[in-house]
């Protein structure tokens, strides 16, 4: 009962005044208690309308305990009060309490209405309690609400959330007039359980019925396109987003950036990014991370510097992307500077951040810093262990990598496939064939783990480099799946080292079948033929390349000095310090000849005079980069160079001697492994 049904009551004006005050001022728990006291003084503490207002205010302030006390003091709560309590509990994430009150209401003999069902079903969905939802479903039908769009949508949400997608779809089809919430529920259900194709199909149907989805739905469906790798559908949704004017929505636009990044279409991602009127840190992070993960590290760092100029504070995801780019370019100074923007404790307590920094240090050849960070990590998950094992392996600390694996086993951390890739790479680095075979066989025998194609590739690489070409070839034949270009390429690398032109030609045919567009296959065989003196065959191979329009991938080398990345091509003279660089190379060349160094001219592809070959080898991009490092850095600072292709044998020997002549540590990372030259020796022990 309520006094508002009787305007003649002497309390009507007082009740009206309290109602007005509650609407205007009842915003805090203290005010709730004050108004509750006034109701008691006026004898209105059982007025259902005013009690409902007090209950709502109490629940909106988050005080569910006090709301329950008020409710329990009500002698005859009606359906509206029960609904207010159930709704309030759900709004405060007290889902079990909401369901308990629903049962209490039923025991009191009150039947739920179309306001009760949506909230109790929402509680069931949040608790994934499909069994209770199934018991409530007949009650919905019995109450005559099976055609109510809100009740039906709540049932649909429950079934979709719990994975009963066929039941959810059937309910969806039964709704006479579907709203955006209904469509969003079924689309989200399909996405939640990996049925991305159905989700996108439902979204297209939603568009066709001219309902306007909200930003949440658009973000989810763009995520589904990313998961499917369906760029055509992604482009369609992008056009729809622009037509609806949703491209200005930061969440939707960021999802588009993320989707195109996952497609590898950074050009399209950048167009969306540049059009955004407002960008938050998530947007910047998505773009930077996209560049880093798609092999565009320079662009990632340029964007990071722009982000800093625009005074946007990076978060941990930004830093992970930046560190990944620094690892790719070998820019230790930039990586150190970026990592200083995050508290050191965050790196020690966050495995994702810690792994990114360890990986960056390792790939920049600063394994001591990587190791120190690893020792300080408060939480070491498997990814952290794998990063350190791989880092030790690539930097030539092979026994340390193998020893760390033993420590990991003792601590009870089970390895995964990536752990064994690190171990096998360590064995390949040092030529430990027996150890490599033991780890490879132990995957299945000890850990019941089936080797992936990457593990076979590592073993083929190990055997091939050791000269066991027949064993490597047999391993490929025995693989339980078809070998890919990486596996055949590993065997081809072994053929190059040991000059087995017959097997190399066979391998090349398989490679051309798998990737006819890759000029590197032709170039490597041409090198093998040239090294064997088969210049006519090498020339014919170059002719085939020209006929098919294939160009040799240009070799680039990068060096970071004072936070700036310098890029070189073979014979490059575009650098402002080009004169000094070539003067330094001439000086080094004379000192190398005094030590008896002779250019390994078999590493030159073309059939030209010996003097021209020596000239070509003398100006390889990594030598230019090292010369700049010698000119512009202090003697105590290691010279770090990154090359996009393999360092040739001539450069390897020359740089090893240059490190001795200059008493400098020179670290070169190519597309295959690390070479740490120090005092005339190399970390790879010349086994490559």
């Amino acid at each position: 009962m309520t006094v508002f049904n009787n305007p003649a009551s002497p309390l009507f004006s007082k009740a009206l005044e309290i109602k007005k005050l509650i609407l205007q001022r009842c915003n805090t728990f203290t005010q709730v208690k004050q108004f509750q006291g006034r109701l008691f003084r006026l004898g209105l503490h059982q007025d259902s309308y005013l009690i409902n207002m007090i209950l709502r205010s109490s629940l909106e302030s988050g005080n569910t305990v006090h709301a329950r006390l008020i409710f329990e003091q009500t002698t005859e709560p009606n359906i509206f009060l029960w609904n207010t309590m159930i709704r309030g509990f759900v709004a405060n994430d007290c889902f079990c309490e909401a369901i308990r009150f629903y049962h209490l209401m039923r025991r009191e003999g009150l039947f739920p209405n179309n306001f009760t069902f949506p909230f109790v079903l929402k509680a069931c969905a949040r608790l994934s309690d499909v069994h209770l939802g199934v018991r409530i479903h007949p009650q919905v039908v019995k109450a005559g609400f099976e055609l109510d769009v809100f009740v039906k949508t709540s049932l649909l949400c429950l079934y979709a959330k719990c994975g009963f997608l066929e039941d959810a779809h059937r309910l969806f089809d039964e709704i006479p007039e579907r709203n955006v919430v209904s469509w969003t529920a079924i689309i989200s259900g399909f996405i939640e359980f990996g049925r991305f194709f159905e989700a996108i199909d439902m979204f297209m149907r939603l568009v066709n019925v001219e309902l306007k989805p909200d930003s949440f739905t658009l973000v989810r469906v763009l995520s589904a396109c990313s998961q499917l790798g369906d760029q055509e559908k992604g482009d369609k949704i992008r056009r729809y987003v622009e037509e609806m004017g949703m491209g200005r929505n930061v969440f939707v636009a960021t999802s588009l950036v993320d989707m195109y990044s996952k497609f590898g279409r950074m050009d399209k991602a950048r167009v969306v990014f540049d059009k955004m009127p407002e960008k938050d840190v998530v947007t910047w992070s998505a773009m930077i991370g996209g560049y880093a993960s798609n092999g565009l590290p320079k662009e990632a760092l340029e964007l990071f510097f722009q982000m800093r100029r625009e005074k946007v504070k990076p978060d941990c995801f930004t830093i992970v992307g930046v560190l990944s780019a620094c690892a790719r370019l070998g820019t230790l100074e930039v990586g150190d500077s970026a990592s200083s923007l995050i508290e050191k404790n965050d790196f020690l307590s966050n495995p994702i951040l810690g792994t990114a920094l360890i990986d960056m240090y390792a790939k920049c050849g600063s394994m001591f810093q990587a190791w120190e960070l690893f020792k300080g990590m408060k939480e070491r998950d498997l990814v952290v262990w794998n990063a350190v094992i791989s880092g030790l392996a690539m930097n030539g600390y092979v026994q340390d990598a193998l020893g760390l694996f033993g420590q990991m086993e003792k601590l009870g951390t089970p390895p995964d496939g990536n752990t064994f890739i690190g171990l096998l790479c360590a064995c390949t680095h040092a030529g430990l064939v027996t150890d490599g075979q033991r780890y490879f066989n132990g995957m299945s025998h000890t850990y019941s783990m089936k080797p992936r194609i990457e593990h076979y590739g590592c073993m083929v690489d190990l055997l091939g480099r050791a000269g066991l070409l027949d064993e490597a070839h047999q391993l490929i034949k025995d693989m339980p799946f078809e070998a890919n270009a990486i596996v055949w390429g590993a065997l081809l690398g072994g053929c190059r080292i040991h000059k087995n032109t017959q097997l190399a030609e066979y391998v090349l045919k398989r490679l051309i079948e798998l990737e006819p567009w890759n000029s590197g296959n032709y170039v490597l065989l041409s090198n093998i033929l040239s090294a064997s003196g088969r210049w006519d065959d090498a020339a014919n191979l170059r002719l085939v390349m020209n006929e098919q329009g294939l160009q040799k991938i240009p070799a680039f080398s990068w060096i970071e000095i004072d936070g700036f990345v310098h890029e070189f091509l073979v014979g490059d003279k575009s650098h402002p310090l080009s004169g000094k660089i070539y003067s330094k190379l001439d000086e080094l060349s004379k000192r190398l000849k005094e030590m008896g160094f002779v250019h390994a001219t078999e590493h030159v592809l073309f059939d030209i005079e010996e003097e021209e070959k020596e000239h070509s080898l003398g100006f390889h991009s990594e030598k230019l980069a090292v010369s700049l490092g010698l000119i512009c850095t202090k003697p105590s600072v290691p010279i770090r160079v990154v090359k996009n292709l393999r360092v040739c044998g001539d450069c390897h020997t020359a740089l090893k001697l240059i490190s001795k002549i200059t008493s400098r540590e020179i670290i070169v990372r190519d597309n295959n492994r690390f070479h740490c030259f120090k005092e005339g020796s190399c970390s790879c022990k010349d086994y490559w």
Side-chain angles (χ1 to χ4, degrees):
M1 293 293 292
T2 174
V3 71
F4 291 104
N5 292 333
N6 184 13
S9 169
L11 293 174
F12 181 81
S13 60
K14 290 288 185 183
L16 201 62
E17 181 186 351
I18 292 174
K19 174 186 173 182
K20 184 178 179 181
L21 289 171
I22 290 174
L23 289 172
Q24 290 176 344
R25 301 182 192 172
C26 200
N27 299 319
T28 65
F29 179 55
T30 302
Q31 290 170 331
V32 168
K33 290 196 293 184
Q34 288 173 351
F35 282 113
Q36 187 186 358
R38 291 187 67 176
L39 293 182
F40 269 98
R41 287 195 299 273
L42 293 170
L44 294 171
H45 57 285
Q46 294 297 326
D47 187 287
S48 59
Y49 186 90
L50 294 173
I51 291 171
N52 196 45
M53 294 184 73
I54 293 291
L55 282 177
R56 288 178 64 179
S57 297
S58 184
L59 290 164
E60 284 170 5
S61 67
N63 202 314
T64 56
V65 175
H66 187 72
R68 189 162 54 241
L69 286 173
I70 296 171
F71 182 84
E72 288 169 354
Q73 291 170 4
T74 307
T75 53
E76 294 183 7
N78 59 21
I79 187 66
F80 301 106
L81 297 183
W82 285 99
N83 284 347
T84 297
M85 289 301 295
I86 292 170
R87 176 182 181 177
F89 283 133
V90 171
N92 285 282
D93 295 339
C94 302
F95 306 118
C96 292
E97 275 295 283
I99 290 171
R100 189 176 76 84
F101 258 64
Y102 173 77
H103 291 312
L104 285 173
M105 183 186 78
R106 298 285 290 120
R107 281 201 290 271
E108 290 292 324
L110 287 170
F111 207 81
N113 62 15
N114 59 332
F115 291 99
T116 318
F117 286 122
F119 292 106
V120 74
L121 288 168
K122 184 176 182 179
C124 293
R126 292 293 184 89
L127 294 171
S128 297
D129 191 349
V130 72
H131 301 294
L132 177 59
V134 168
R135 293 201 301 273
I136 291 174
H137 194 160
Q139 296 173 20
V140 170
V141 176
K142 185 177 179 182
F145 298 125
E146 70 270 25
L147 296 181
D148 185 289
V149 65
F150 299 105
V151 176
K152 200 87 168 189
T153 298
S154 300
L155 275 168
L156 162 61
C157 288
L158 169 68
Y159 285 124
K161 178 78 166 53
C162 296
F164 292 80
L165 297 176
E166 278 65 33
D167 295 302
H169 202 171
R170 179 177 52 78
L171 285 169
F172 177 82
D173 289 336
E174 291 174 358
I175 298 175
E177 291 185 19
R178 307 175 192 106
N179 58 20
V180 172
V181 179
S182 311
W183 286 93
T184 301
I186 191 66
I187 290 169
S188 298
F190 280 131
I191 292 172
E192 190 76 25
F193 290 91
R195 291 169 61 170
F196 305 117
F197 181 83
E198 289 99 322
I200 295 170
D201 182 61
M202 291 298 291
F203 177 80
M204 293 304 179
R205 286 176 57 189
L206 163 64
V207 171
N208 289 336
V209 297
E210 298 184 352
L211 278 174
K212 187 177 180 180
D214 58 15
S215 59
F216 173 80
T217 310
L218 286 167
V219 167
R220 296 300 304 274
V221 81
L222 287 169
S223 168
C225 289
S226 300
Q227 295 287 344
L228 271 182
D230 193 335
Q231 187 179 328
E232 185 181 347
K233 288 284 196 317
D235 286 337
K236 276 187 180 179
I237 295 170
R238 177 193 171 185
R239 287 193 291 272
Y240 173 77
V241 165
E242 290 173 346
E243 288 170 8
M244 297 300 294
M246 294 288 284
R248 300 176 66 85
N249 183 295
V250 68
F251 304 110
V252 176
T254 301
S255 296
L256 280 168
V257 169
D258 182 65
M259 179 188 73
Y260 281 125
S261 298
K262 289 188 169 97
F263 291 155
R265 293 303 308 268
M266 294 309 299
D267 53 339
K268 292 191 174 185
R270 189 58 189 257
V271 169
V272 174
F273 180 84
D274 288 340
K275 284 183 177 179
M276 292 176 67
E278 293 182 19
K279 306 175 184 75
D280 60 14
V281 66
V282 180
T283 314
W284 287 95
S285 299
M287 196 69 203
I288 290 168
Y291 275 137
S293 61
N294 282 288
L296 298 166
K298 287 182 67 179
E299 289 82 350
L301 294 186
E302 286 167 5
L303 194 64
F304 172 66
F305 296 142
Q306 182 185 337
M307 176 186 179
R308 298 291 293 146
R309 287 194 297 271
E310 296 191 19
K311 310 296 183 186
V312 180
K313 186 179 179 181
D315 63 8
C316 65
F317 297 104
T318 318
I319 300 302
V320 167
V322 171
L323 292 175
S324 175
C326 292
R328 188 76 176 259
L329 284 173
T331 51
L332 181 61
E333 290 179 41
V334 176
D336 269 335
S337 176
S339 64
S340 68
L341 299 172
I342 299 285
E343 293 289 333
K344 186 178 179 182
N345 191 57
D346 289 340
F347 287 100
L348 298 177
S349 58
N350 184 329
I352 297 174
L353 267 174
T355 300
L357 190 54
I358 287 170
D359 185 61
M360 191 274 293
Y361 282 140
K363 287 179 178 172
C364 289
S366 185
M367 199 59 220
F368 175 77
Q369 287 177 280
W371 180 250
E372 288 299 307
L373 180 64
F374 172 75
K375 288 196 299 183
M377 291 286 289
K378 296 173 184 175
E379 183 183 339
R380 297 176 185 171
D381 63 11
L382 182 57
V383 181
V384 174
W385 284 95
N386 288 347
V388 178
I389 289 172
S390 295
L392 288 167
M394 75 172 69
N395 281 278
Y397 300 102
V398 174
Q399 294 304 325
D400 296 288
L402 304 184
L404 192 63
F405 174 66
Q407 183 183 340
M408 177 179 150
E409 284 186 304
K410 286 179 184 177
L411 292 173
T413 303
D416 66 0
N418 292 332
T419 315
F420 283 99
I421 288 174
L423 294 171
L424 293 173
C425 286
C427 294
T428 303
H429 200 115
L432 304 176
V433 175
T434 303
D435 288 317
Q437 289 172 326
R438 177 165 55 84
Y439 285 122
F440 182 77
N441 294 329
M443 288 184 67
S444 51
H445 297 153
T446 307
Y447 294 98
S448 302
M449 195 183 300
K450 290 183 178 180
R452 303 195 307 262
I453 197 164
E454 296 93 337
H455 302 107
Y456 280 96
C458 290
M459 281 304 299
V460 170
D461 194 25
L462 172 59
L463 295 170
R465 290 175 186 280
L468 303 171
L469 296 173
D470 290 337
E471 289 184 38
H473 193 192
Q474 189 60 48
L475 182 62
I476 293 176
K477 292 176 182 177
D478 295 340
M479 283 170 55
F481 28 67
E482 286 293 319
N484 61 13
I486 295 172
V487 175
W488 284 113
L491 181 57
L492 190 61
C495 294
R496 182 189 64 82
I497 293 169
H498 299 285
K499 298 181 173 60
N500 189 327
T501 55
Q502 185 178 358
L503 182 57
E505 288 180 49
Y506 168 78
V507 173
L508 183 65
K509 289 176 183 177
R510 301 303 304 268
L511 280 168
I512 289 173
E513 289 174 9
L514 291 169
E515 43 178 31
W517 60 88
N518 189 343
S519 64
N521 300 327
Y522 294 87
V523 172
L524 186 51
L525 181 60
S526 185
N527 276 328
I528 293 170
L529 295 171
S530 299
S532 303
R534 296 168 59 184
W535 295 107
D536 290 340
D537 291 336
N540 289 334
L541 193 63
R542 292 198 301 275
L543 185 61
V544 172
M545 287 179 64
N546 291 333
E547 287 174 352
Q548 296 188 8
L550 298 173
Q551 297 294 321
K552 183 179 182 292
I553 298 170
F556 289 94
S557 290
W558 298 274
I559 183 170
E560 177 200 30
I561 298 173
D562 295 330
F564 183 80
V565 178
H566 303 259
E567 182 178 272
F568 292 94
L569 282 162
V570 62
D572 201 333
K573 293 188 177 180
S574 61
H575 195 277
L577 296 178
S578 185
K580 291 184 178 181
I581 290 169
Y582 279 86
S583 177
K584 173 62 74 173
L585 278 177
D586 286 341
E587 175 195 328
L588 292 170
S589 180
K590 289 174 185 176
R591 295 186 66 181
L592 287 172
K593 284 183 179 179
E594 290 171 3
M595 295 178 69
F597 173 73
V598 178
H599 283 290
T601 53
E602 70 269 17
H603 293 288
V604 179
L605 172 63
F606 304 110
D607 184 12
I608 53 180
E609 295 300 322
E610 291 296 313
E611 186 178 341
E612 290 181 78
K613 289 182 183 180
E614 291 187 11
H615 180 81
S616 173
L617 288 166
F619 303 133
H620 276 189
S621 61
E622 58 268 47
K623 289 176 181 170
L624 297 172
V626 167
S627 294
L628 180 66
L630 291 169
I631 294 167
C632 297
T633 61
K634 296 177 182 178
S636 59
V637 177
I639 296 169
R640 293 182 171 85
V641 174
V642 176
K643 186 175 181 180
N644 67 327
L645 300 178
R646 189 191 301 266
V647 171
C648 75
D650 182 82
C651 286
H652 182 273
T653 305
L655 293 174
K656 189 167 64 169
L657 292 174
I658 289 171
S659 75
K660 186 175 183 178
I661 292 170
T662 60
S663 300
R664 296 291 296 270
E665 182 180 1
I666 301 170
I667 301 166
V668 180
R669 192 179 88 234
D670 62 17
N671 71 340
N672 192 48
R673 65 180 75 264
F674 253 91
H675 309 271
C676 183
F677 304 101
K678 197 172 183 180
E679 298 176 357
S681 64
C682 181
S683 61
C684 76
K685 309 295 188 295
D686 297 337
Y687 180 81
W688 61 286

